[in-house]
Amino acid sequence: MQQFTHQSRPEATITGLARLLVSENLLEREVALAAFSAADKNGTPLLRHLVKNRLIDSKLVARTASQEFGLPLLDLAAMDTMQFPLALVDGKLLLKHNMLPVLKKGHKMFLAVSDPSNQTGIDEIKFNAGCSVDLVVVEDDKLNLLIESLVNSAQEEAGKFDYLQQMELDDFDIELVDETATLAADDDGKNEGETPIVRFVNKILVDLMKSGGSDVHIEPYEKIYRVRFRIDGILKEVTRPPLNIANRICSRIKIMSSMDIAEKRVPQDGRIKLKLSRTKSIDFRVNTLPTLWGEKIVMRILDASSAQLGIDMLGYEPSQKQLYLNALHQQQGLILVTGPTGSGKTVSLYTGLNILNTHERNISTAEDPVEINLEGVNQVAVNVKVGLTFATALRSFLRQDPDVVMVGEIRDLETAEIAIKASQTGHLVLSTLHTNSAPETLTRLRNMGIPSYNLATSISLIIAQRLARRLCSHCKKPLRLPPRILLKEGFTEEQLQHMQLFGAVGCDRCNDGYKGRVGVYEVVPITEKIARIIMDDGSSLQIADMARAEGYNNLRTSALMKVAQGHTSLAEANRITS
């Protein structure tokens, strides 16, 4: 009798997926019992405890659960996390039950779970979302990390704007560079006549942050004075202040950004740090430009959180992401990111630096200007006036025993030569160029004067990129176009069989049918065949043809893939790749 009780104890205590794992001989009974006791004591789910303490492989659990419960197995890395309907469910519930909504179609929500036997959690989330649920199985450890990342990001973003809602427009604490500027700002704020100007400038900055914009343009003309926001890459006029207050607004912004308010003949650069609270602050990069009718001002938000998004959030296709990661984990070589201004090159570079930023590596960067502060990275701001150029900084880096070097931009032959030499002598170098595609990057460097053999032996990867506006998930509508037109646009017969096109509509939650942006990439490694074309001084067209033959998508193909996946519209793909 005692023996029977002892043998049945594990079956009586362990339930759900853990019991299944024991019955399938994938987990020892004694290990399961000990884990059950420890998990119960710590208040964590049993499966989470097993995976976290490496008592069982997460992939094995996911495969077993998928087979036993008859549910599809999903790879989270292949999903676009920006499309997850997180707003449907309270973040605390997601963390509590380790479940994540990944898609919503009509009244049905697809829920990613690692333990399909947790019926209590599934029911609770179903009730909270107010819709029916279909389950997909994912690996527990990857699911847990992604939920924590997404929920924390959403809470921080919401907290930031909640705080803005509560603040008065004259409550901002401006952190300035020198004491004289601080005194001037205080005097300006106390002057009763200037208070409306202070409040107006603060309102512009608050509205920019609330709208999700990246830049504000304040522009004087002969008869009008206008303010425009760049939202999702498109400029949109938001207001026209009276022309007679243009100089006062300009002076206020100059004081906030520590510029010389008396100098109106030459462009100036500055920086504003708005302290929203003890722990929250927003940085703006400010530039003034003398025009015919006064000084135009452009302020750009420097969003430090964009550097922490992680590579899975940038929109790379799985194969492209793997190529980038492979290049980042090489000991030496040159990684180039190309594209026009505002195409997301900086975020791609910072994402790579974050991956490399460990205690074992010495990383140095030369930037103009330093946009985002990265702890653990030695960042140098280029200053041409005092002789601190990209080339000068790069030479100094090579005497500082670096492992990784980032050069903000290769602008001239001298910088290019030093970067290539560094990549050939045991350093990993990252940099940017302004070219239209990956193959054209090689032609541009050759035209600068870099020998073909240096290009073929030093460059390991080229990424060309654009940012496409993302369709609003709340109002996008299905579109039907004749197959002959779609084939002419570049879609394949295979894509036409199972894709659904969407178009922009517009609602109160978006901007003309779009909200946010998604990256479109051309990722080309320098393979043996491509290197041979470079050595033979082949043209960019020959390199492009070989890249396509080896299976590397160009920007047009990548943009059409985003259209086929429902992330953006065909009109937007044509805009960024025409």
Side-chain angles (χ1 to χ4, degrees), residues 230-235 340-343 466-470 489 514 516-518 520 555-556 559-560 563 568-578:
R230 187 176 293 280
I231 303 172
D232 296 334
I234 304 295
L235 280 170
T341 301
S343 60
R466 302 288 189 275
L467 288 177
R469 288 183 293 169
R470 188 187 294 274
E489 289 285 353
Y514 299 93
R517 290 191 283 180
V518 61
V520 175
L555 282 167
R556 178 64 180 174
L560 292 179
V563 174
T568 191
S569 65
L570 181 56
E572 184 68 4
N574 289 336
R575 184 182 72 85
I576 65 168
T577 60
S578 58

mmCIF file of all heavy atoms in Angstrom, residues 230-235 340-343 466-470 489 514 516-518 520 555-556 559-560 563 568-578:
data_model
loop_
_atom_site.group_PDB
_atom_site.id
_atom_site.type_symbol
_atom_site.label_atom_id
_atom_site.label_comp_id
_atom_site.label_asym_id
_atom_site.label_seq_id
_atom_site.Cartn_x
_atom_site.Cartn_y
_atom_site.Cartn_z
ATOM 1 N N ARG A 230 7.403 66.223 -39.179
ATOM 2 C CA ARG A 230 7.647 65.055 -40.031
ATOM 3 C C ARG A 230 7.148 63.826 -39.268
ATOM 4 O O ARG A 230 7.727 63.429 -38.254
ATOM 5 C CB ARG A 230 9.127 64.896 -40.381
ATOM 6 C CG ARG A 230 9.359 63.780 -41.414
ATOM 7 C CD ARG A 230 10.819 63.697 -41.837
ATOM 8 N NE ARG A 230 11.270 64.846 -42.590
ATOM 9 C CZ ARG A 230 11.049 65.047 -43.890
ATOM 10 N NH1 ARG A 230 10.349 64.160 -44.574
ATOM 11 N NH2 ARG A 230 11.512 66.115 -44.490
ATOM 12 N N ILE A 231 6.076 63.240 -39.763
ATOM 13 C CA ILE A 231 5.451 62.080 -39.126
ATOM 14 C C ILE A 231 5.519 60.908 -40.092
ATOM 15 O O ILE A 231 5.019 60.995 -41.221
ATOM 16 C CB ILE A 231 3.986 62.372 -38.739
ATOM 17 C CG1 ILE A 231 3.920 63.595 -37.804
ATOM 18 C CG2 ILE A 231 3.348 61.168 -38.069
ATOM 19 C CD1 ILE A 231 2.513 64.081 -37.523
ATOM 20 N N ASP A 232 6.153 59.826 -39.670
ATOM 21 C CA ASP A 232 6.336 58.639 -40.515
ATOM 22 C C ASP A 232 6.986 59.012 -41.843
ATOM 23 O O ASP A 232 6.626 58.493 -42.910
ATOM 24 C CB ASP A 232 5.001 57.932 -40.768
ATOM 25 C CG ASP A 232 4.393 57.391 -39.490
ATOM 26 O OD1 ASP A 232 5.159 57.120 -38.547
ATOM 27 O OD2 ASP A 232 3.156 57.239 -39.434
ATOM 28 N N GLY A 233 7.929 59.954 -41.784
ATOM 29 C CA GLY A 233 8.700 60.308 -42.973
ATOM 30 C C GLY A 233 8.074 61.353 -43.869
ATOM 31 O O GLY A 233 8.690 61.778 -44.849
ATOM 32 N N ILE A 234 6.847 61.794 -43.571
ATOM 33 C CA ILE A 234 6.145 62.765 -44.419
ATOM 34 C C ILE A 234 5.909 64.053 -43.632
ATOM 35 O O ILE A 234 5.438 64.020 -42.502
ATOM 36 C CB ILE A 234 4.789 62.198 -44.891
ATOM 37 C CG1 ILE A 234 4.985 60.862 -45.607
ATOM 38 C CG2 ILE A 234 4.082 63.200 -45.793
ATOM 39 C CD1 ILE A 234 5.774 60.944 -46.891
ATOM 40 N N LEU A 235 6.232 65.206 -44.252
ATOM 41 C CA LEU A 235 6.017 66.497 -43.596
ATOM 42 C C LEU A 235 4.540 66.886 -43.652
ATOM 43 O O LEU A 235 3.870 66.716 -44.675
ATOM 44 C CB LEU A 235 6.853 67.584 -44.270
ATOM 45 C CG LEU A 235 8.328 67.642 -43.867
ATOM 46 C CD1 LEU A 235 9.095 68.585 -44.779
ATOM 47 C CD2 LEU A 235 8.491 68.051 -42.416
ATOM 48 N N PRO A 340 19.472 56.912 -48.091
ATOM 49 C CA PRO A 340 19.352 58.367 -47.974
ATOM 50 C C PRO A 340 19.172 58.804 -46.527
ATOM 51 O O PRO A 340 18.959 57.976 -45.632
ATOM 52 C CB PRO A 340 18.094 58.677 -48.800
ATOM 53 C CG PRO A 340 17.297 57.420 -48.755
ATOM 54 C CD PRO A 340 18.284 56.299 -48.702
ATOM 55 N N THR A 341 19.238 60.104 -46.297
ATOM 56 C CA THR A 341 18.995 60.654 -44.963
ATOM 57 C C THR A 341 17.591 60.282 -44.489
ATOM 58 O O THR A 341 16.624 60.373 -45.250
ATOM 59 C CB THR A 341 19.136 62.193 -44.996
ATOM 60 O OG1 THR A 341 20.451 62.521 -45.428
ATOM 61 C CG2 THR A 341 18.900 62.779 -43.615
ATOM 62 N N GLY A 342 17.497 59.832 -43.233
ATOM 63 C CA GLY A 342 16.197 59.480 -42.678
ATOM 64 C C GLY A 342 15.719 58.085 -43.028
ATOM 65 O O GLY A 342 14.541 57.780 -42.871
ATOM 66 N N SER A 343 16.627 57.230 -43.492
ATOM 67 C CA SER A 343 16.220 55.872 -43.867
ATOM 68 C C SER A 343 16.468 54.853 -42.760
ATOM 69 O O SER A 343 16.276 53.654 -42.971
ATOM 70 C CB SER A 343 16.957 55.431 -45.142
ATOM 71 O OG SER A 343 18.364 55.428 -44.938
ATOM 72 N N ARG A 466 15.533 51.334 -46.617
ATOM 73 C CA ARG A 466 14.549 52.408 -46.682
ATOM 74 C C ARG A 466 13.551 52.188 -45.544
ATOM 75 O O ARG A 466 13.481 51.099 -44.974
ATOM 76 C CB ARG A 466 13.775 52.392 -48.011
ATOM 77 C CG ARG A 466 14.627 52.517 -49.251
ATOM 78 C CD ARG A 466 15.193 53.919 -49.445
ATOM 79 N NE ARG A 466 15.828 54.035 -50.737
ATOM 80 C CZ ARG A 466 17.085 53.689 -50.989
ATOM 81 N NH1 ARG A 466 17.828 53.195 -50.013
ATOM 82 N NH2 ARG A 466 17.602 53.840 -52.198
ATOM 83 N N LEU A 467 12.767 53.204 -45.249
ATOM 84 C CA LEU A 467 11.685 53.076 -44.277
ATOM 85 C C LEU A 467 10.364 53.292 -45.004
ATOM 86 O O LEU A 467 10.144 54.343 -45.616
ATOM 87 C CB LEU A 467 11.838 54.089 -43.138
ATOM 88 C CG LEU A 467 12.969 53.818 -42.146
ATOM 89 C CD1 LEU A 467 13.055 54.942 -41.118
ATOM 90 C CD2 LEU A 467 12.788 52.494 -41.441
ATOM 91 N N ALA A 468 9.491 52.300 -44.938
ATOM 92 C CA ALA A 468 8.156 52.411 -45.538
ATOM 93 C C ALA A 468 7.136 52.669 -44.447
ATOM 94 O O ALA A 468 7.239 52.118 -43.349
ATOM 95 C CB ALA A 468 7.809 51.126 -46.290
ATOM 96 N N ARG A 469 6.149 53.502 -44.749
ATOM 97 C CA ARG A 469 5.080 53.741 -43.778
ATOM 98 C C ARG A 469 4.256 52.466 -43.599
ATOM 99 O O ARG A 469 3.915 51.795 -44.567
ATOM 100 C CB ARG A 469 4.185 54.889 -44.243
ATOM 101 C CG ARG A 469 4.845 56.259 -44.153
ATOM 102 C CD ARG A 469 3.892 57.348 -44.567
ATOM 103 N NE ARG A 469 3.561 57.261 -45.980
ATOM 104 C CZ ARG A 469 2.584 57.954 -46.560
ATOM 105 N NH1 ARG A 469 1.843 58.781 -45.840
ATOM 106 N NH2 ARG A 469 2.347 57.823 -47.846
ATOM 107 N N ARG A 470 3.961 52.153 -42.348
ATOM 108 C CA ARG A 470 3.214 50.939 -42.023
ATOM 109 C C ARG A 470 1.711 51.232 -42.063
ATOM 110 O O ARG A 470 1.245 52.237 -41.520
ATOM 111 C CB ARG A 470 3.603 50.454 -40.624
ATOM 112 C CG ARG A 470 3.035 49.103 -40.244
ATOM 113 C CD ARG A 470 3.355 48.815 -38.787
ATOM 114 N NE ARG A 470 4.759 48.662 -38.542
ATOM 115 C CZ ARG A 470 5.425 47.519 -38.686
ATOM 116 N NH1 ARG A 470 4.782 46.431 -39.074
ATOM 117 N NH2 ARG A 470 6.717 47.460 -38.434
ATOM 118 N N GLU A 489 4.178 44.808 -61.722
ATOM 119 C CA GLU A 489 4.804 45.511 -60.601
ATOM 120 C C GLU A 489 5.998 44.737 -60.048
ATOM 121 O O GLU A 489 6.862 45.319 -59.382
ATOM 122 C CB GLU A 489 3.784 45.733 -59.480
ATOM 123 C CG GLU A 489 2.714 46.756 -59.797
ATOM 124 C CD GLU A 489 3.230 48.182 -59.738
ATOM 125 O OE1 GLU A 489 4.391 48.394 -59.329
ATOM 126 O OE2 GLU A 489 2.474 49.094 -60.119
ATOM 127 N N TYR A 514 -1.759 55.452 -42.264
ATOM 128 C CA TYR A 514 -0.481 54.849 -41.878
ATOM 129 C C TYR A 514 -0.151 55.201 -40.427
ATOM 130 O O TYR A 514 -0.464 56.300 -39.963
ATOM 131 C CB TYR A 514 0.663 55.340 -42.771
ATOM 132 C CG TYR A 514 0.491 54.989 -44.237
ATOM 133 C CD1 TYR A 514 -0.116 55.885 -45.118
ATOM 134 C CD2 TYR A 514 0.935 53.768 -44.737
ATOM 135 C CE1 TYR A 514 -0.266 55.574 -46.464
ATOM 136 C CE2 TYR A 514 0.797 53.448 -46.083
ATOM 137 C CZ TYR A 514 0.187 54.356 -46.944
ATOM 138 O OH TYR A 514 0.038 54.047 -48.267
ATOM 139 N N GLY A 516 3.348 54.509 -37.932
ATOM 140 C CA GLY A 516 4.643 53.865 -37.748
ATOM 141 C C GLY A 516 5.291 53.523 -39.076
ATOM 142 O O GLY A 516 4.726 53.759 -40.153
ATOM 143 N N ARG A 517 6.485 52.961 -38.999
ATOM 144 C CA ARG A 517 7.208 52.597 -40.212
ATOM 145 C C ARG A 517 7.859 51.230 -40.059
ATOM 146 O O ARG A 517 8.073 50.747 -38.953
ATOM 147 C CB ARG A 517 8.276 53.649 -40.547
ATOM 148 C CG ARG A 517 7.665 54.972 -41.000
ATOM 149 C CD ARG A 517 8.679 55.919 -41.590
ATOM 150 N NE ARG A 517 9.480 56.571 -40.564
ATOM 151 C CZ ARG A 517 10.441 57.452 -40.826
ATOM 152 N NH1 ARG A 517 10.721 57.761 -42.079
ATOM 153 N NH2 ARG A 517 11.125 58.009 -39.854
ATOM 154 N N VAL A 518 8.169 50.619 -41.191
ATOM 155 C CA VAL A 518 8.805 49.307 -41.198
ATOM 156 C C VAL A 518 10.004 49.376 -42.130
ATOM 157 O O VAL A 518 9.964 50.032 -43.181
ATOM 158 C CB VAL A 518 7.811 48.211 -41.650
ATOM 159 C CG1 VAL A 518 7.305 48.460 -43.057
ATOM 160 C CG2 VAL A 518 8.432 46.827 -41.538
ATOM 161 N N VAL A 520 12.757 48.292 -44.878
ATOM 162 C CA VAL A 520 12.883 47.493 -46.109
ATOM 163 C C VAL A 520 14.371 47.410 -46.423
ATOM 164 O O VAL A 520 15.045 48.443 -46.510
ATOM 165 C CB VAL A 520 12.112 48.152 -47.274
ATOM 166 C CG1 VAL A 520 12.350 47.392 -48.572
ATOM 167 C CG2 VAL A 520 10.626 48.221 -46.957
ATOM 168 N N LEU A 555 16.089 45.906 -53.041
ATOM 169 C CA LEU A 555 15.130 46.713 -52.281
ATOM 170 C C LEU A 555 13.710 46.573 -52.826
ATOM 171 O O LEU A 555 12.750 46.507 -52.056
ATOM 172 C CB LEU A 555 15.556 48.189 -52.305
ATOM 173 C CG LEU A 555 16.689 48.574 -51.361
ATOM 174 C CD1 LEU A 555 17.223 49.958 -51.712
ATOM 175 C CD2 LEU A 555 16.231 48.533 -49.913
ATOM 176 N N ARG A 556 13.576 46.504 -54.140
ATOM 177 C CA ARG A 556 12.241 46.392 -54.734
ATOM 178 C C ARG A 556 11.567 45.086 -54.318
ATOM 179 O O ARG A 556 10.403 45.072 -53.917
ATOM 180 C CB ARG A 556 12.355 46.469 -56.262
ATOM 181 C CG ARG A 556 11.029 46.304 -56.999
ATOM 182 C CD ARG A 556 10.079 47.444 -56.677
ATOM 183 N NE ARG A 556 8.794 47.303 -57.373
ATOM 184 C CZ ARG A 556 7.762 48.084 -57.179
ATOM 185 N NH1 ARG A 556 7.831 49.075 -56.297
ATOM 186 N NH2 ARG A 556 6.640 47.906 -57.836
ATOM 187 N N ALA A 559 10.584 45.238 -50.696
ATOM 188 C CA ALA A 559 9.411 46.099 -50.489
ATOM 189 C C ALA A 559 8.132 45.365 -50.882
ATOM 190 O O ALA A 559 7.113 45.451 -50.192
ATOM 191 C CB ALA A 559 9.557 47.392 -51.290
ATOM 192 N N LEU A 560 8.173 44.625 -51.993
ATOM 193 C CA LEU A 560 6.995 43.871 -52.430
ATOM 194 C C LEU A 560 6.656 42.755 -51.446
ATOM 195 O O LEU A 560 5.485 42.404 -51.262
ATOM 196 C CB LEU A 560 7.222 43.293 -53.829
ATOM 197 C CG LEU A 560 7.314 44.316 -54.971
ATOM 198 C CD1 LEU A 560 7.570 43.614 -56.298
ATOM 199 C CD2 LEU A 560 6.052 45.173 -55.050
ATOM 200 N N VAL A 563 4.627 44.296 -48.833
ATOM 201 C CA VAL A 563 3.266 44.500 -49.338
ATOM 202 C C VAL A 563 2.489 43.193 -49.251
ATOM 203 O O VAL A 563 1.339 43.153 -48.787
ATOM 204 C CB VAL A 563 3.296 45.020 -50.793
ATOM 205 C CG1 VAL A 563 1.885 45.097 -51.355
ATOM 206 C CG2 VAL A 563 3.961 46.384 -50.863
ATOM 207 N N THR A 568 2.571 47.064 -45.553
ATOM 208 C CA THR A 568 2.505 48.371 -46.198
ATOM 209 C C THR A 568 1.713 48.229 -47.500
ATOM 210 O O THR A 568 1.296 47.140 -47.888
ATOM 211 C CB THR A 568 3.919 48.938 -46.454
ATOM 212 O OG1 THR A 568 3.815 50.309 -46.840
ATOM 213 C CG2 THR A 568 4.660 48.158 -47.529
ATOM 214 N N SER A 569 1.507 49.355 -48.166
ATOM 215 C CA SER A 569 0.709 49.355 -49.393
ATOM 216 C C SER A 569 1.613 49.336 -50.620
ATOM 217 O O SER A 569 2.803 49.668 -50.545
ATOM 218 C CB SER A 569 -0.179 50.600 -49.432
ATOM 219 O OG SER A 569 0.622 51.771 -49.518
ATOM 220 N N LEU A 570 1.038 48.970 -51.756
ATOM 221 C CA LEU A 570 1.796 48.974 -53.006
ATOM 222 C C LEU A 570 2.209 50.396 -53.365
ATOM 223 O O LEU A 570 3.307 50.622 -53.881
ATOM 224 C CB LEU A 570 0.947 48.358 -54.119
ATOM 225 C CG LEU A 570 1.597 48.251 -55.503
ATOM 226 C CD1 LEU A 570 2.902 47.466 -55.437
ATOM 227 C CD2 LEU A 570 0.634 47.606 -56.495
ATOM 228 N N ALA A 571 1.340 51.366 -53.083
ATOM 229 C CA ALA A 571 1.673 52.770 -53.359
ATOM 230 C C ALA A 571 2.891 53.206 -52.568
ATOM 231 O O ALA A 571 3.766 53.917 -53.077
ATOM 232 C CB ALA A 571 0.479 53.667 -53.024
ATOM 233 N N GLU A 572 2.974 52.768 -51.312
ATOM 234 C CA GLU A 572 4.125 53.124 -50.479
ATOM 235 C C GLU A 572 5.388 52.429 -50.966
ATOM 236 O O GLU A 572 6.477 53.019 -50.964
ATOM 237 C CB GLU A 572 3.829 52.751 -49.017
ATOM 238 C CG GLU A 572 4.911 53.161 -48.029
ATOM 239 C CD GLU A 572 5.068 54.650 -47.840
ATOM 240 O OE1 GLU A 572 4.277 55.430 -48.427
ATOM 241 O OE2 GLU A 572 5.990 55.062 -47.115
ATOM 242 N N ALA A 573 5.272 51.163 -51.388
ATOM 243 C CA ALA A 573 6.428 50.449 -51.934
ATOM 244 C C ALA A 573 6.944 51.157 -53.182
ATOM 245 O O ALA A 573 8.165 51.286 -53.380
ATOM 246 C CB ALA A 573 6.052 49.009 -52.252
ATOM 247 N N ASN A 574 6.024 51.630 -54.022
ATOM 248 C CA ASN A 574 6.436 52.362 -55.216
ATOM 249 C C ASN A 574 7.097 53.685 -54.855
ATOM 250 O O ASN A 574 8.034 54.132 -55.530
ATOM 251 C CB ASN A 574 5.228 52.618 -56.124
ATOM 252 C CG ASN A 574 4.733 51.349 -56.799
ATOM 253 O OD1 ASN A 574 5.495 50.399 -56.967
ATOM 254 N ND2 ASN A 574 3.467 51.315 -57.173
ATOM 255 N N ARG A 575 6.619 54.323 -53.797
ATOM 256 C CA ARG A 575 7.199 55.616 -53.377
ATOM 257 C C ARG A 575 8.652 55.488 -52.953
ATOM 258 O O ARG A 575 9.484 56.328 -53.293
ATOM 259 C CB ARG A 575 6.374 56.217 -52.237
ATOM 260 C CG ARG A 575 6.842 57.602 -51.794
ATOM 261 C CD ARG A 575 6.026 58.124 -50.627
ATOM 262 N NE ARG A 575 6.324 57.428 -49.395
ATOM 263 C CZ ARG A 575 7.345 57.761 -48.579
ATOM 264 N NH1 ARG A 575 8.140 58.770 -48.881
ATOM 265 N NH2 ARG A 575 7.543 57.101 -47.457
ATOM 266 N N ILE A 576 8.972 54.436 -52.208
ATOM 267 C CA ILE A 576 10.321 54.340 -51.653
ATOM 268 C C ILE A 576 11.302 53.601 -52.555
ATOM 269 O O ILE A 576 12.512 53.653 -52.326
ATOM 270 C CB ILE A 576 10.311 53.662 -50.265
ATOM 271 C CG1 ILE A 576 9.860 52.207 -50.387
ATOM 272 C CG2 ILE A 576 9.470 54.437 -49.282
ATOM 273 C CD1 ILE A 576 10.101 51.404 -49.126
ATOM 274 N N THR A 577 10.796 52.904 -53.585
ATOM 275 C CA THR A 577 11.717 52.144 -54.446
ATOM 276 C C THR A 577 11.646 52.548 -55.910
ATOM 277 O O THR A 577 12.227 51.880 -56.760
ATOM 278 C CB THR A 577 11.436 50.632 -54.344
ATOM 279 O OG1 THR A 577 10.087 50.364 -54.764
ATOM 280 C CG2 THR A 577 11.643 50.131 -52.943
ATOM 281 N N SER A 578 10.920 53.623 -56.220
ATOM 282 C CA SER A 578 10.815 54.050 -57.620
ATOM 283 C C SER A 578 12.076 54.798 -58.036
ATOM 284 O O SER A 578 12.791 55.332 -57.219
ATOM 285 C CB SER A 578 9.606 54.953 -57.810
ATOM 286 O OG SER A 578 9.676 56.082 -56.965
#
